[in-house]
């Protein structure tokens, strides 16, 4: 039996939530629940110290990261909000370091057996994923969001709390769906788009568009921020 020695990337509030889920035995690798696990490393290049109290080794310098990497054999990236591309690209870099991508599925969520889950997913409390849907790698389904039948959700997506995705919706990579947004059936949302909180989307959304309102309207183009210099 493998002992999972976990690196958590990110040391803000999202990390604290994931710490709690790991403690509550909601950790998975390739759809199999993990029992033997320990968080050994907390990494955040953009903080002087974690935003919460922890006895886990904290690293924010590249040389310390390289030195301490041997303490971990698996990872979770605790980056939420609209930074899905950063979460995905950082995860890819950690896989190159031979670390296993772990996922988290809250015990109160419902995932239909016919649906397919990617690697490194994070599924929060009371999420519903209905039948024949597909969820991409390193995607977050946040609290009480619902994914109806036959949806296709891309990589590095964030479906925020309370968002409702109707049937046969296709969502591209790195899309963010804001809190309590509603996506009508059959809609296609292209890569990198951002749907504002509470928006009602009744027509397709193009690549990197930000749309808001009810019915949703184009606001401006979306930009994606990420920094991989820590791995260079």
């Amino acid at each position: 039996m493998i002992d999972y020695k976990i690196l958590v990337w990110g040391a803000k509030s999202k990390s604290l939530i994931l710490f709690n889920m790991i403690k509550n035995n909601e950790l998975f690798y390739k759809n199999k629940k993990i029992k033997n696990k320990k968080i050994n490393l907390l990494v955040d290049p953009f903080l002087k110290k974690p935003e919460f109290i922890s006895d886990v080794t904290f690293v924010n310098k590249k040389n310390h990261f390289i030195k301490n990497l041997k303490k971990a054999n698996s990872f979770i990236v605790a980056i939420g909000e609209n930074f899905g591309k950063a979460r995905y690209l950082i995860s890819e870099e950690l896989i190159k370091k031979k670390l296993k991508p772990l996922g988290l599925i809250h015990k109160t969520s419902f995932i239909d057996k016919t649906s397919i889950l990617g690697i490194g997913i994070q599924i929060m409390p009371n999420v519903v994923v209905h039948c024949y849907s597909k969820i991409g790698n390193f995607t977050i389904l946040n609290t009480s969001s619902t994914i109806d039948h036959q949806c296709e959700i891309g990589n590095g997506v964030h479906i925020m709390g309370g968002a409702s995705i109707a049937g046969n919706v296709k969502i591209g990579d790195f899309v963010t769906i804001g809190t309590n947004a509603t996506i009508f059936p059959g809609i296609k949302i292209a890569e990198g788009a951002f749907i504002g909180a509470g928006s009602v989307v009744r027509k397709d959304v193009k690549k990197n568009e930000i749309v808001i309102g009810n019915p949703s309207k184009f606001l401006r183009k979306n930009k994606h921020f990420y920094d991989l210099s820590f791995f260079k």
Side-chain angles (χ1 to χ4, degrees):
M1 185 176 292
I2 298 174
D3 289 327
Y4 288 87
K5 298 177 287 186
I6 305 167
L7 179 156
V8 176
W9 186 285
K12 295 184 178 181
S13 61
K14 179 68 174 175
S15 180
L16 180 60
I17 293 169
L18 300 189
F19 268 47
N20 190 56
M21 292 181 73
I22 293 168
K23 179 182 176 181
N24 291 335
N25 297 316
E26 293 165 337
L27 191 66
F28 288 78
Y29 177 63
K30 292 185 176 180
N31 296 327
K32 293 184 179 180
K33 200 164 187 178
I34 292 170
K35 294 182 179 180
N36 297 337
K37 80 285 184 185
K38 183 180 180 182
I39 303 171
N40 280 358
L41 204 57
L42 184 59
V43 181
D44 198 318
F46 305 106
L47 293 179
K48 291 183 179 180
K49 62 179 183 179
E51 292 188 353
F52 57 93
I53 297 172
S54 169
D55 59 0
V56 176
T57 300
F58 174 68
V59 170
N60 61 3
K61 302 294 183 183
K62 182 177 178 179
N63 60 331
H64 293 159
F65 171 68
I66 295 170
K67 182 179 179 180
N68 284 279
L69 194 56
K70 61 186 178 181
K71 295 181 179 179
N73 61 11
S74 53
F75 74 92
I76 299 171
V77 177
I79 300 176
E81 300 181 27
N82 59 326
F83 299 108
K85 192 166 188 176
R87 181 172 63 256
Y88 180 84
L89 293 176
I90 290 168
S91 297
E92 290 289 291
E93 292 293 333
L94 293 171
I95 288 174
K96 292 177 185 177
K97 301 290 186 186
K98 309 300 182 184
L99 273 61
K100 296 179 176 65
L102 305 182
L104 288 157
I105 304 176
H106 196 274
K107 60 186 177 182
T108 63
S109 63
F110 170 79
I111 315 295
D112 191 90
K113 292 180 179 179
T114 60
S115 289
I116 299 171
L117 303 181
I119 62 174
I121 56 170
Q122 298 171 26
I123 298 180
M124 299 295 124
N126 300 314
V127 166
V128 173
V129 179
H130 203 5
C131 58
Y132 301 107
S133 289
K134 183 178 180 181
I135 312 299
N137 299 335
F138 308 110
T139 281
I140 298 174
L141 306 181
N142 226 319
T143 306
S144 298
S145 58
T146 58
I147 313 297
D148 216 327
H149 62 91
Q150 296 166 286
C151 288
E152 295 180 15
I153 312 296
N155 302 316
V157 172
H158 188 179
I159 311 294
M160 293 188 175
S164 178
I165 315 300
N168 289 294
V169 168
K170 291 181 172 58
I171 297 176
D173 295 344
F174 318 131
V175 168
T176 299
I177 309 292
T179 302
N180 291 327
T182 300
I183 315 299
F184 271 41
I187 293 295
K188 295 179 177 63
I189 300 177
E191 177 183 328
F194 185 103
I195 312 302
S199 297
V200 178
V201 180
R202 307 181 187 205
K203 61 181 182 179
D204 293 350
V205 179
K206 296 179 181 178
K207 183 176 179 178
N208 291 329
E209 283 191 340
I210 298 176
V211 301
I212 61 171
N214 179 12
S216 61
K217 295 181 181 179
F218 174 75
L219 178 64
R220 62 177 183 270
K221 284 288 187 177
N222 191 20
K223 295 182 179 180
H224 299 271
F225 300 96
Y226 57 91
D227 183 350
L228 301 179
S229 60
F230 206 67
F231 297 99
K232 305 304 181 183

